[in-house]
Amino acid sequence: ADLIARNPYQAALAARDEDQWEEERLQRRLQQARSIKQLKQELAQHERAKALRRKKRQEQIGKSQRQNFELDGNVRYWSDYLKLHLHAKNIHEMSGLRHTVDPFDQYAHGVEYAAESADRILDMADAFRVLAEECDQVSGIQVLVDTDSGFSGVADKLLQELRSDYTYTPIYTVGVQPHLPSPSHYDRMRRTYNSCMATTALAEHSSIFVPLSAQDLHRRLAHMDVSIDMTQPFHTSAVLGAALHTATLPYRLSPSAVSSSAST
């Protein structure tokens, strides 16, 4: 009080500074309040966008699951329902062939493809050897081949190459024929030719050759409570796959399981 009385000018300056400081403090708090409000708005927008993305993702998953269960209308090739990611070593692309463009529905087409370049079969055999070298011991080779197309001719030449390296290794070959819903006269003649050529050639280089066909499958399963659409390759191939899975189950089990089942 004595200072103010002695120096009123300094007192006025002090009061002004205090007012200015209070005003600045209020402005900072106002800015903070605005920042908090803006932050809340941004968080709310983020949560809404996140919920929208989650909803769309669930709708896509639901649609994909519905498509997966509607196999009859969506499946055309085996890769349509293959969910496994195959390793690059397990895939060998046959160069020089264009699907549905180049003819490849006869045994002779496969033989001609292999004869065009000796490296084609050698490359396939080398790819197999790389996998075989990773095994402690190759106790057997299982071959699954379509005998109603040119793949049977390619498989014949490949087995010849493998047999020279694995002379005493058992080779179990399964020749599969798809079902033809309404075969024409050409289809019947082609299938007869392919069956004769493929069976003769593949059986020569195999320890055992088993033909597996889906033709007239509905007649064989007429006495069973099984509903099969014979026009759908997915249905007929599922039955053949189940038969092959059951037949190969003993040697795919662990050695102890095989020995115990054999003893019983």
Side-chain angles (χ1 to χ4, degrees):
D2 294 341
L3 177 63
I4 296 176
R6 290 193 302 267
N7 196 343
Y9 178 74
Q10 292 182 355
L13 289 178
R16 190 189 64 177
D17 292 341
E18 184 177 357
D19 293 341
Q20 186 177 359
W21 177 84
E22 181 67 19
E23 183 179 354
E24 291 177 353
R25 186 178 65 84
L26 292 176
Q27 289 179 354
R28 285 195 300 269
R29 294 198 60 178
L30 180 60
Q31 291 177 356
Q32 290 177 357
R34 290 176 178 175
S35 300
I36 293 175
K37 183 178 180 181
Q38 184 179 2
L39 179 60
K40 290 182 178 180
Q41 292 177 350
E42 292 178 356
L43 288 175
Q45 293 177 357
H46 175 72
E47 291 297 330
R48 288 194 295 269
K50 184 178 178 181
L52 183 60
R53 289 194 300 268
R54 186 186 302 111
K55 181 180 179 180
K56 289 183 178 180
R57 185 163 56 249
Q58 291 176 350
E59 292 177 352
Q60 292 175 354
I61 293 175
K63 183 179 179 180
S64 176
Q65 290 177 346
R66 289 193 298 271
Q67 290 178 348
N68 290 340
F69 286 106
E70 296 173 358
L71 297 177
D72 295 347
N74 296 326
V75 171
R76 294 186 60 192
Y77 308 105
W78 63 272
S79 56
D80 292 340
Y81 55 91
L82 179 68
K83 302 304 180 183
L84 297 176
H85 295 282
L86 300 178
H87 194 276
K89 293 182 179 179
N90 296 333
I91 303 175
H92 184 84
E93 182 179 358
M94 297 177 62
S95 60
L97 288 177
R98 293 169 295 177
H99 184 57
T100 70
V101 176
D102 298 316
F104 203 68
D105 60 346
Q106 296 182 16
Y107 169 86
H109 294 159
V111 176
E112 293 174 359
Y113 174 82
E116 289 178 359
S117 175
D119 294 336
R120 290 177 172 176
I121 299 300
L122 292 178
D123 290 343
M124 295 181 187
D126 290 340
F128 177 84
R129 294 187 186 100
V130 170
L131 295 176
E133 290 174 356
E134 297 179 359
C135 302
D136 296 334
Q137 180 183 359
V138 181
S139 57
I141 301 174
Q142 177 179 309
V143 181
L144 186 65
V145 56
D146 179 10
T147 57
D148 197 30
S149 67
F151 289 105
S152 57
V154 176
D156 173 29
K157 301 305 178 183
L158 178 59
L159 285 181
Q160 291 183 29
E161 184 67 24
L162 295 179
R163 179 52 79 185
S164 61
D165 293 341
Y166 304 92
T167 306
Y168 302 104
T169 302
I171 298 179
Y172 170 42
T173 304
V174 179
V176 181
Q177 284 188 344
H179 172 72
L180 298 178
S182 301
S184 61
H185 177 70
Y186 169 78
D187 291 332
R188 296 191 185 94
M189 296 294 295
R190 177 182 55 79
R191 169 156 291 190
T192 301
Y193 162 76
N194 287 336
S195 299
C196 294
M197 298 299 296
T199 302
T200 303
L202 296 175
E204 181 181 355
H205 307 294
S206 304
S207 304
I208 180 172
F209 176 81
V210 178
L212 199 60
S213 176
Q215 196 66 25
D216 299 328
L217 189 61
H218 60 288
R219 297 179 183 177
R220 308 176 201 175
L221 301 178
H223 64 286
M224 302 176 62
D225 188 15
V226 179
S227 178
I228 297 179
D229 185 358
M230 297 301 296
T231 62
Q232 294 289 344
F234 179 75
H235 284 210
T236 56
S237 62
V239 177
L240 298 185
L244 182 62
H245 177 84
T246 304
T248 59
L249 187 61
Y251 65 78
R252 289 189 291 106
L253 295 174
S254 61
S256 58
V258 174
S259 59
S260 62
S261 62
S263 61
T264 56

